[in-house]
Amino acid sequence: FISPDILQVDIISTMKLSLASLALLAASASAFTAVTPAGRVSTSLAVAPGETKASEKVVQAFADKPEEDPEFDALVKSNFPGAINNRDLATRVVELLEEKGFDPSNTLLATSLCADELARVLEDEFVSIYGNNFNLGGLSGFPFAGNTGWGAMSAHVPDNGYCLTIHGPHVGITKEGQIG
């Protein structure tokens, strides 16, 4: 048995919710309206200036870092065949991109790495090569920035330049081989 008073309250609540939903929908509809750009403004996100080649910056970035522990490296590769360390990744990426014209003065670094502090090491190493980065991501390396974030990032790409986007999750592995 439903009392007429309860039914009336439910109908009024539903109507308020519906009116509020319609108002929200109408207000947000403009967010999906195509907008013609007024012209691209040249911007900069502290892209690394100077004449130093990225390959030279890789050497500098890893100069004071200890060599990889071969025992731990073997442990990682036994669980993740084909895995490479940060030094090798940075070296390979930079060598390939230098051949294509990417350098620290014309390349914006954009990252979307897992929020864990372990991922900051890789991010910091690439920042030391390419300059500040535009952070697009969050958990699991998924780029949570959405259309607005990608648009904002795109506005910082140097004129006639490039964007290097590095994304991905991380996984921890102990010296005993426990993954998690």
Side-chain angles (χ1 to χ4, degrees):
F1 173 73
I2 299 177
S3 120
D5 293 337
I6 292 175
L7 184 57
Q8 183 178 4
V9 170
D10 287 344
I11 292 171
I12 292 171
S13 296
T14 304
M15 287 176 58
K16 286 182 183 175
L17 177 61
S18 296
L19 292 175
S21 297
L22 287 173
L24 180 61
L25 180 62
S28 64
S30 65
F32 298 102
T33 303
V35 177
T36 305
R40 186 165 186 269
V41 177
S42 180
T43 59
S44 174
L45 189 65
V47 172
E51 300 297 320
T52 306
K53 291 176 58 174
S55 54
E56 294 169 13
K57 289 186 173 220
V58 170
V59 173
Q60 294 169 1
F62 291 95
D64 296 331
K65 300 211 177 205
E67 289 296 319
E68 298 294 321
D69 177 357
E71 188 176 311
F72 185 70
D73 194 45
L75 178 65
V76 170
K77 288 180 180 177
S78 71
N79 289 285
F80 301 99
I84 60 174
N85 61 41
N86 289 8
R87 181 188 316 250
D88 291 344
L89 175 65
T91 301
R92 289 180 188 183
V93 166
V94 165
E95 286 174 353
L96 177 68
L97 295 181
E98 274 186 341
E99 290 175 10
K100 299 187 180 298
F102 288 60
D103 65 57
S105 68
N106 70 3
T107 304
L108 172 69
L109 174 65
T111 60
S112 183
L113 299 169
C114 189
D116 191 276
E117 71 276 3
L118 295 174
R120 298 290 70 80
V121 175
L122 178 63
E123 183 177 72
D124 291 344
E125 289 163 351
F126 272 93
V127 165
S128 69
I129 298 164
Y130 287 101
N132 290 332
N133 85 62
F134 194 102
N135 190 324
L136 295 165
L139 298 175
S140 299
F142 186 80
F144 289 120
N147 288 341
T148 302
W150 282 91
M153 178 273 298
S154 297
H156 292 285
V157 175
D159 292 337
N160 301 311
Y162 305 96
C163 178
L164 168 59
T165 304
I166 298 175
H167 65 93
H170 81 282
V171 62
I173 183 168
T174 66
K175 289 190 181 216
E176 294 76 33
Q178 184 176 357
I179 300 171

